Amino acid sequence: MSEQKTVFITGGAGFIGLHVVNQLLEKDYKVRIFDNMVRGDRDKANELALSHGVEVIDQDVRYGGSVTAAMKGADRVIHLAADSINKSVADPYSSLNMNVDGTHNVFAAAVHHGVERVVFASSASVYGDPKKLPMHEDDQLSPLTPYCIGKRTAEDLAGYYQRQYGMSWIGLRFFNVYGPGQKTTAYYTSVINHFVNRLRNGEPPVIDGKGEQSMDFIHVHDIARAVVLATESEKANVPINVGTGIDTSVADLARILIGAVGADVEPIFNPRDVLVSRRAADTTRAKEIIGFEYTIPVGEGMADLIRIETAK
Ligand SMILES: NC(=O)c1ccc[n+]([C@@H]2O[C@H](COP(=O)([O-])OP(=O)(O)OC[C@H]3O[C@@H](n4cnc5c(N)ncnc54)[C@H](O)[C@@H]3O)[C@@H](O)[C@H]2O)c1
């Protein structure tokens, strides 16, 4: 029998992190969560410690010594801890401290311990406002806020550690992640919560402009699959989009949610000039490098999310 591998995961008690941890456990990895619990779910992490022997280390990635000490014995590293995009404009120092210095601590510790692979969360926001769809990894990057600049810098830093010390890495550019466990304050996907709350009160969703602005919604279960595949793939050392390749407009989303909730309403369009931004991932590289394709279509994923939220 092959030896059980240990995966060290920062931000492992967060929204995406807990889904990744569950999939790692299903694949028989040993898991060590490193999370300072600012937004993590401590109760869920502690439950996993009791039920599956997950180690939970309540510390901060901004302290390099803590990260290095805690990573000892890990075979693979997943780095998800980050400051939220919402805070980055109001507090650029904190955002960069977390996303650049914190990420640097993780990479330096990974090199120190000679881990096999580092997978980290980048973001589709590194592209800024895309000039064309679908967005390809080699398109020009134009990160607009300190959060996005930090994510892009993390990718550049990973390249440096690979050239200098042979660190094997994959930076996953997540598109618009949604699904069970997400905070209602999530930046891009808060529109889901807003529409669902109105529908539950018997009110129609209100859309500014024609609702042409779009996102590439990807279910958190698929995101977690991509993270696990990236820790195992033979090929590495590139950023990879993780999306469905489908841009769903805000008007489409409203109709999908009306159907999922089963409400008898039509969206209201608020005539206004809206800056239309659109997003859809080019998914070719994800398939080529890590063998990833999405499995949950947006209609099905949203209906599932509403079922879970209603049952609570
Ligand atoms: N959710 C999305 O739509 C989305 C899109 C693109 C990229 N991402 C990236 O994916 C990653 C995970 O996002 P999420 O939605 O699960 O966020 P989340 O806020 O739910 O999880 C982040 C976790 O990191 C922990 N954390 C924060 N600061 C820390 C610190 N200094 N030290 C240790 N732990 C710390 C938090 O307690 C939390 O458990 C982040 O890097 C995020 O930037 C998310």
Side-chain angles (χ1 to χ4, degrees):
M1 213 179 87
S2 62
E3 205 189 317
Q4 204 182 17
K5 300 256 183 196
T6 298
V7 179
F8 176 89
I9 174 168
T10 77
F15 164 50
I16 296 172
L18 284 167
H19 287 269
V20 175
V21 169
N22 279 309
Q23 292 191 22
L24 289 169
L25 292 171
E26 279 168 22
K27 296 191 88 172
D28 206 29
Y29 285 101
K30 275 184 69 151
V31 179
R32 190 179 303 158
I33 292 177
F34 184 102
D35 195 307
N36 70 354
M37 302 294 167
V38 280
R39 282 187 313 284
D41 189 331
R42 190 187 295 277
D43 292 343
K44 285 223 172 87
N46 287 341
E47 276 169 33
L48 289 168
L50 286 174
S51 60
H52 290 81
V54 170
E55 292 173 75
V56 181
I57 298 174
D58 181 347
Q59 280 175 25
D60 195 310
V61 295
R62 286 171 296 184
Y63 300 107
S66 307
V67 178
T68 306
M71 204 185 280
K72 190 162 185 254
D75 299 289
R76 294 172 192 172
V77 168
I78 297 170
H79 174 46
L80 302 177
D83 229 10
S84 70
I85 195 168
N86 312 32
K87 272 180 62 183
S88 103
V89 173
D91 192 351
Y93 174 77
S94 166
S95 181
L96 292 168
N97 187 210
M98 187 52 230
N99 291 341
V100 178
D101 298 333
T103 299
H104 177 254
N105 290 336
V106 173
F107 293 169
V111 166
H112 176 81
H113 291 296
V115 306
E116 294 164 7
R117 172 68 46 81
V118 178
V119 175
F120 63 94
S122 182
S123 164
S125 65
V126 295
Y127 294 104
D129 290 326
K131 302 213 171 22
K132 61 156 189 63
L133 295 188
M135 295 142 81
H136 187 275
E137 287 87 347
D138 293 336
D139 288 352
Q140 194 196 334
L141 302 184
S142 187
L144 299 174
T145 66
Y147 168 91
C148 317
I149 292 165
K151 291 291 189 190
R152 187 220 171 125
T153 305
E155 293 184 3
D156 289 342
L157 262 177
Y160 165 74
Y161 272 97
Q162 184 230 329
R163 291 189 301 276
Q164 192 73 7
Y165 302 106
M167 183 180 92
S168 172
W169 63 277
I170 291 182
L172 295 173
R173 293 180 182 165
F174 299 155
F175 277 64
N176 302 108
V177 191
Y178 72 98
Q182 185 157 39
K183 281 126 202 125
T184 51
T185 50
Y187 186 73
Y188 289 107
T189 40
S190 59
V191 62
I192 301 174
N193 195 48
H194 179 64
F195 284 175
V196 170
N197 282 341
R198 284 189 61 88
L199 289 167
R200 287 214 169 114
N201 291 331
E203 297 161 345
V206 177
I207 296 169
D208 285 338
K210 293 180 184 152
E212 288 167 321
Q213 57 277 33
S214 73
M215 285 176 247
D216 183 336
F217 292 106
I218 173 129
H219 195 277
V220 65
H221 179 79
D222 278 332
I223 285 283
R225 278 184 45 246
V227 173
V228 176
L229 285 169
T231 65
E232 297 174 335
S233 68
E234 274 176 29
K235 296 184 198 160
N237 306 328
V238 279
I240 298 179
N241 289 338
V242 190
T244 63
I246 299 164
D247 61 321
T248 300
S249 72
V250 170
D252 288 341
L253 175 71
R255 293 198 180 89
I256 288 169
L257 292 173
I258 288 171
V261 171
D264 186 17
V265 292
E266 283 293 319
I268 294 175
F269 291 88
N270 201 356
R272 261 174 67 172
D273 278 342
V274 175
L275 199 64
V276 175
S277 63
R278 295 179 58 206
R279 274 188 177 186
D282 186 315
T283 58
T284 322
R285 186 180 287 178
K287 197 171 167 191
E288 271 172 21
I289 305 280
I290 60 171
F292 171 78
E293 283 177 289
Y294 82 98
T295 57
I296 305 177
V298 66
E300 200 181 289
M302 294 289 173
D304 185 49
L305 178 63
I306 285 165
R307 254 195 313 276
I308 291 168
E309 294 297 323
T310 310
K312 272 186 187 166

